[in-house]
C-alpha cells in the first residue's frame, strides 16, 4: 500500500467544539492523531493517538487531557487490554476504543467489520469517558443500512442510537446532534 495521509475536521452539531485529525495509512498499519476541543457543558481539550494494524484492529491508544491526566492503553487485537502496563480484565473481549469526544472511533469497527447492507454485528468497545478518563466495557451494535455509506450505531447498554453517514473511507460525515464534517 502506498503511504497516504488524510486530514479531517469535524465541528460540534451545536456550539464551537471542533476536532482536527490526521489519519495515516501504509502497509504497516493505520495511525490517527487528533486534538478535539469540547464545548459541551464541560469545556476541555484532548489529544489522542490511536494505532491499528492493517485490518483496523486497535493496538495502542494514548489519551491526554490538555493540562490534565493522561494514559496509554495497549491491546493485542483480540480483546486483552492494559493501561500503562497493567492488565485491565474488565475490558476483556473489547476490540475497539470508543472516545466520547470524537466520531472517528466509529470508523474502526466500520472498517474492521466490512458489513454489507442489512448486516449487523454486536461488538464490545473500550469506552473512554472524557474528561474523566474512565474506561468501561461497552456493548454496541453496528448495522449497515446503505452500501457502506450509512450505519445505525447502537449502545446496547444505554439504548442510545443514531444513524451516521460516512464517506468512502468509513470516516463520519454526519453524526446527528453531535458532529458534522467540515
Amino acid at each position: 500500500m502506498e503511504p497516504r495521509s488524510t486530514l479531517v475536521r469535524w465541528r460540534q452539531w451545536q456550539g464551537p467544539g471542533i476536532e482536527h485529525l490526521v489519519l495515516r495509512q501504509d502497509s504497516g498499519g493505520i495511525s490517527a492523531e487528533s486534538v478535539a476541543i469540547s464545548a459541551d457543558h464541560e469545556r476541555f481539550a484532548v489529544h489522542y493517538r490511536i494505532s491499528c494494524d492493517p485490518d483496523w484492529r486497535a493496538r495502542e491508544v494514548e489519551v491526554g487531557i490538555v493540562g490534565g491526566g493522561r494514559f496509554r492503553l495497549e491491546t493485542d487485537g483480540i480483546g486483552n487490554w492494559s493501561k500503562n502496563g497493567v492488565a485491565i480484565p474488565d475490558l476483556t473481549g473489547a476490540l475497539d476504543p470508543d472516545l466520547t469526544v470524537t466520531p472517528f472511533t466509529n470508523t474502526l469497527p466500520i472498517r474492521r467489520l466490512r458489513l454489507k447492507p442489512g448486516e449487523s454485528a454486536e461488538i464490545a468497545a473500550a469506552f473512554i469517558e472524557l474528561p474523566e478518563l474512565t474506561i468501561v466495557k461497552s456493548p454496541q451494535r453496528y448495522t449497515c443500512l446503505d452500501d457502506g455509506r450509512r450505519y445505525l450505531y447502537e449502545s446496547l447498554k444505554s439504548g442510545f442510537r443514531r444513524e451516521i453517514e460516512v464517506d468512502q473511507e468509513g470516516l463520519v460525515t454526519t453524526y446527528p446532534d453531535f458532529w458534522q464534517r467540515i
Side-chain angles (χ1 to χ4, degrees):
M1 165 187 259
E2 188 72 27
R4 69 177 203 247
S5 185
T6 305
L7 170 67
V8 183
R9 285 191 176 163
W10 292 277
R11 66 173 173 80
Q12 281 183 310
W13 200 262
Q14 295 180 344
I18 191 165
E19 178 173 4
H20 175 98
L21 178 131
V22 176
L23 179 65
R24 291 185 178 91
Q25 301 178 64
D26 62 30
S27 59
I30 297 110
S31 68
E33 184 173 7
S34 181
V35 173
I37 299 171
S38 175
D40 284 336
H41 57 284
E42 283 193 77
R43 296 176 186 265
F44 64 92
V46 62
H47 173 261
Y48 70 86
R49 186 174 304 139
I50 299 173
S51 299
C52 300
D53 69 16
D55 294 320
W56 292 86
R57 282 188 209 84
R59 305 305 268 170
E60 186 176 283
V61 180
E62 296 176 54
V63 180
I65 300 297
V66 175
R70 62 189 65 249
F71 62 74
R72 179 178 170 183
L73 297 174
E74 292 180 314
T75 179
D76 58 7
I78 58 171
N80 300 300
W81 294 77
S82 64
K83 177 181 173 184
N84 298 329
V86 178
I88 313 172
D90 289 348
L91 294 181
T92 299
L95 296 180
D96 306 293
D98 186 358
L99 282 74
T100 59
V101 74
T102 180
F104 172 70
T105 49
N106 296 99
T107 299
L108 279 65
I110 286 171
R111 291 296 303 265
R112 183 177 56 74
L113 294 168
R114 297 182 178 112
L115 299 172
K116 304 283 186 241
E119 292 181 340
S120 66
E122 291 187 11
I123 66 166
F127 189 71
I128 302 167
E129 298 172 304
L130 299 166
E132 300 85 0
L133 292 175
T134 56
I135 312 162
V136 296
K137 188 173 176 181
S138 172
Q140 302 175 352
R141 179 184 302 121
Y142 282 84
T143 304
C144 180
L145 301 174
D146 181 21
D147 200 21
R149 295 293 202 169
R150 207 165 43 93
Y151 290 83
L152 175 64
Y153 163 79
E154 299 172 89
S155 167
L156 300 178
K157 185 175 182 180
S158 72
F160 175 87
R161 51 191 286 150
R162 282 293 182 284
E163 284 188 22
I164 57 177
E165 295 177 14
V166 300
D167 66 12
Q168 68 278 4
E169 298 289 320
L171 295 162
V172 171
T173 57
T174 305
Y175 196 128
D177 300 321
F178 292 96
W179 294 98
Q180 181 73 41
R181 180 103 159 254
I182 54 174

